[in-house]
Amino acid sequence: MSTNAKLPLDMLYQWENNHKDRLYMTQPMGDGTVDEFTWGRAVDEARRMAAYLKSLDLPEKSRVGIISKNCAHWIMTDWAIWLAGHISVPLYPMLNADTVNYVLNHAGCEVLFVGKLDDWPSMKPGVPESVRCISYPLSPPNNYETWNTIVAGNEPLQGNPVRDAEELATIVYTSGSTGRPKGVMLSFDNMAFAAEGGIKTLNVGPDERMLSYLPMAHVFERTFVELGSLYAGFQLFFAESLDTFVQDLQRARPTLFLSVPRLWVKFQHGVLQKVPKHKLDRLLKIPLVNKLIKKKVLKNLGLDQVKLAGSGSAPLSHDVLDWYRNLGLELLEGYGMSENFAYSHMNKPGRTRTGYVGEALPGVETRISEQGEVQVKSPATMMGYYKDDEKTVEAFTEDGFLRTGDKGEIDEMGRLKLTGRLKEIFKTSKGKYIAPAKLENLLMAHESIEVCCVSGANQTQPFAMVMLNEELRPLVQDDAALKKEIEDSLKQLIQDIHKQVDPHEQLAFIIVMQDEWTIENSFLTPTLKLKRNVVEDTYQQKVDAWYGQKKPVIWQ
């Protein structure tokens, strides 16, 4: 594959010129209705907003922020920013005011588009007074200039502006599992290479349907949904809210569906609440019944039309992967980073191996360093970190490979297995090294566990802190029988894990947390990854007392 891929704006003009009447985006409006955007309407509105941005006489290549849940206007805003000659800066829609302030100041944003948000009053204090705000039709109440007023009051920007392939297109602020987020600089060429490579690898075309609901500020959704639809031309539907998610899925009937491990596990728990696992397993073994059961389960999830299902952002347990595959849904795990626009590795249909994140995508070079670190290089690799030359130098080897910070190994078919984070590996008091990711994958196979953290540096054996899934958390406080049932199953889980690991990796105990780990209280990143340092710092003072109890399961 060459790096001469068509750039995003080239694709925009192609759909505008050749398929302007084709339906592109379906946006629920919160009142039971939907607003539909053809390619022609979407590009026209983006051109009008671009004309308005140009009328503001901002400095060339100004940074323009977008803070919103996914919606049609998010995508049109990205286009408008590029058409006007500026650089887009996405912000997660659930950041606190301090992080909003940090990102807007660090990027030097002149303008901010404010969209669909659940808690704008707590975020708003982070927006500097100097920043001009523009609101979407689905924005929380505000007195900003509105999208519709601006679109109605401006003629479309004429001509087809050209942006250079090597030019900075967007600054993606990493979700920051430790410390302040870093601004990943991505060029138009980085984005084009990743988008074109992804749709060619998956053989995706204009007849697909996709539901957009994972944060657009994250590269996973941006690469395969926003840019994927721009390069393949397929139809996008947007989720209205968590409460309407099943209806949103059933409206879209997606043929492509991407999710993160936490949500795949939630879907599974939802099914198993209605049909216990042992009963479902028994039904699936009956030849005449299993096809009907599989179809019914997937239809109830809204996934019965899915041809390609993907999972990324964090590892998914083997048991969950196998459970979906038994239903006839082959989940393809992938691997990528903000620093390479999520374009690195992907399992291919028929070539999957449980526990592996797949083969290098076209144009990606991979190697394992002497320390066991996965290092990658491709035309999708970032330009560097914004205003941080020191960290940029640290991120690359002398010969230009990106240091991922992940440990891994490659099998005979070139499939990559991630075995842990270099910085997360810790040593017990016996001098043995523990890779928490290995144990956490085994723990996440348990249907009651929603998220977990393995720790135990400088202790005799590692231990695990687990949070039960949200349906169980309130129930166990009042139901002694249920609590005992879960405790017994966790004791059995410890025994099962001990049969699969070396003696130094065996868990001393499991702590069942009553505290909730959420994005809002900073235990999770906006992409639902655990902030290990926050968890360990929070409970550090209790660890010695937990070891002193000498119990296999402890309720915090």
Side-chain angles (χ1 to χ4, degrees), residues 261-280:
R262 187 104 178 268
L263 289 170
W264 285 118
V265 171
K266 273 183 179 290
F267 291 161
Q268 183 198 35
H269 287 166
V271 172
L272 297 180
Q273 270 191 304
K274 294 174 182 172
V275 187
K277 188 173 187 300
H278 64 273
K279 184 178 179 183
L280 186 61

Side-chain angles (χ1 to χ4, degrees), residues 125-188:
V127 180
E129 286 186 15
S130 60
V131 174
R132 177 190 291 262
C133 292
I134 298 166
S135 77
Y136 291 163
L138 293 166
S139 300
N142 61 68
N143 56 1
Y144 307 137
E145 296 171 280
T146 69
W147 177 280
N148 287 344
T149 302
I150 291 169
V151 164
N154 285 272
E155 290 300 313
L157 184 72
Q158 295 303 303
N160 291 346
V162 175
R163 300 293 294 269
D164 185 70
E166 301 303 319
E167 207 178 322
L168 177 58
T170 191
I171 305 172
V172 175
Y173 280 82
T174 60
S175 52
S177 55
T178 56
R180 287 292 195 187
K182 299 188 290 283
V184 175
M185 296 190 291
L186 295 162
S187 68
F188 287 102

Side-chain angles (χ1 to χ4, degrees), residues 405-430:
D406 290 308
K407 283 177 70 78
E409 53 195 51
I410 298 172
D411 75 1
E412 70 288 347
M413 285 177 63
R415 294 171 297 200
L416 174 66
K417 179 179 185 178
L418 300 176
T419 56
R421 292 284 294 167
L422 281 175
K423 291 179 182 175
E424 286 177 357
I425 291 171
F426 62 85
K427 196 189 283 189
T428 65
S429 60
K430 298 173 183 175

Side-chain angles (χ1 to χ4, degrees), residues 40 87 108 130 138 166 222 252 301 324 378 426 433 438 455 462:
I87 297 156
S130 60
L138 293 166
E166 301 303 319
R222 196 110 175 267
L301 288 171
Y324 279 103
S378 82
F426 62 85
Y433 286 99
K438 174 182 177 181
S455 190

Side-chain angles (χ1 to χ4, degrees), residues 49 52-54 56 58-67 74 77-78 80-82 84-91 103-104 107-114 131-134 136 147 163 169-171 173 222 386:
M49 185 55 71
Y52 171 78
L53 290 175
K54 285 188 83 70
L56 299 178
L58 302 172
E60 191 179 346
K61 298 180 185 175
S62 286
R63 276 73 59 210
V64 178
I66 311 171
I67 186 162
W74 201 113
T77 300
D78 216 11
I81 293 166
W82 293 338
H86 300 311
I87 297 156
S88 59
V89 180
L91 287 83
V103 171
L104 293 176
C109 287
E110 305 267 353
V111 177
L112 176 65
F113 285 83
V114 178
V131 174
R132 177 190 291 262
C133 292
I134 298 166
Y136 291 163
W147 177 280
R163 300 293 294 269
T170 191
I171 305 172
Y173 280 82
R222 196 110 175 267
Y386 190 59

Side-chain angles (χ1 to χ4, degrees), residues 201-503:
T201 301
L202 294 172
N203 193 27
V204 168
D207 296 328
E208 314 297 351
R209 297 182 302 278
M210 209 164 185
L211 181 71
S212 175
Y213 67 99
L214 297 172
M216 200 74 80
H218 189 265
V219 289
F220 188 45
E221 187 85 352
R222 196 110 175 267
T223 305
F224 294 101
V225 180
E226 182 195 4
L227 271 292
S229 66
L230 185 57
Y231 276 74
F234 56 74
Q235 192 176 350
L236 281 189
F237 294 77
F238 295 91
E240 187 171 321
S241 68
L242 276 178
D243 293 338
T244 64
F245 192 74
V246 173
Q247 296 98 293
D248 295 329
L249 261 177
Q250 288 169 345
R251 179 194 295 119
R253 307 285 303 287
T255 59
L256 309 172
F257 188 73
L258 295 180
S259 196
V260 291
R262 187 104 178 268
L263 289 170
W264 285 118
V265 171
K266 273 183 179 290
F267 291 161
Q268 183 198 35
H269 287 166
V271 172
L272 297 180
Q273 270 191 304
K274 294 174 182 172
V275 187
K277 188 173 187 300
H278 64 273
K279 184 178 179 183
L280 186 61
D281 288 346
R282 193 171 71 245
L283 290 169
L284 290 174
K285 286 175 184 169
I286 304 171
L288 295 174
V289 175
N290 68 354
K291 280 189 179 178
L292 287 171
I293 295 294
K294 288 177 182 180
K295 193 170 182 181
K296 187 172 182 180
V297 170
L298 291 175
K299 188 165 187 178
N300 286 342
L301 288 171
L303 302 176
D304 54 314
Q305 298 292 307
V306 170
K307 296 188 291 188
L308 282 172
S311 183
S313 182
L316 195 56
S317 81
H318 299 184
D319 286 45
V320 175
L321 279 168
D322 291 340
W323 186 83
Y324 279 103
R325 285 171 186 164
N326 286 340
L327 286 177
L329 198 65
E330 185 180 29
L331 284 191
L332 303 176
E333 284 197 283
Y335 167 64
M337 304 168 65
S338 299
E339 286 83 351
N340 52 29
F341 204 47
Y343 187 82
S344 183
H345 288 70
M346 189 186 294
N347 273 298
K348 294 176 183 173
R351 292 172 63 87
T352 60
R353 181 176 176 184
T354 302
Y356 286 70
V357 293
E359 301 161 60
L361 286 160
V364 176
E365 296 177 64
T366 311
R367 69 185 186 195
I368 307 295
S369 74
E370 288 182 9
Q371 293 74 36
E373 181 183 36
V374 179
Q375 297 178 349
V376 293
K377 186 191 219 179
S378 82
T381 305
M382 67 171 179
M383 302 164 73
Y385 295 118
Y386 190 59
K387 294 181 182 174
D388 201 335
D389 294 340
E390 188 179 330
K391 282 200 168 66
T392 298
V393 170
E394 288 173 11
F396 291 95
T397 62
E398 286 185 7
D399 55 349
F401 276 76
L402 180 66
R403 302 178 190 271
T404 66
D406 290 308
K407 283 177 70 78
E409 53 195 51
I410 298 172
D411 75 1
E412 70 288 347
M413 285 177 63
R415 294 171 297 200
L416 174 66
K417 179 179 185 178
L418 300 176
T419 56
R421 292 284 294 167
L422 281 175
K423 291 179 182 175
E424 286 177 357
I425 291 171
F426 62 85
K427 196 189 283 189
T428 65
S429 60
K430 298 173 183 175
K432 297 285 190 179
Y433 286 99
I434 305 291
K438 174 182 177 181
L439 291 163
E440 287 163 358
N441 279 344
L442 295 170
L443 286 159
M444 287 301 293
H446 194 282
E447 61 192 42
S448 298
I449 295 175
E450 186 164 306
V451 64
C452 66
C453 178
V454 168
S455 190
N458 303 316
Q459 301 287 349
T460 52
Q461 294 289 136
F463 70 94
M465 295 172 273
V466 306
M467 186 176 82
L468 301 179
N469 67 55
E470 62 184 337
E471 294 82 16
L472 288 176
R473 286 198 296 274
L475 298 177
V476 293
Q477 297 183 37
D478 305 315
D479 190 332
L482 177 62
K483 187 173 181 178
K484 184 179 186 306
E485 183 185 329
I486 290 171
E487 184 168 322
D488 290 343
S489 72
L490 293 176
K491 288 176 182 175
Q492 185 60 51
L493 176 64
I494 290 174
Q495 296 305 314
D496 293 343
I497 289 173
H498 286 184
K499 293 172 188 172
Q500 302 175 63
V501 300
D502 292 330

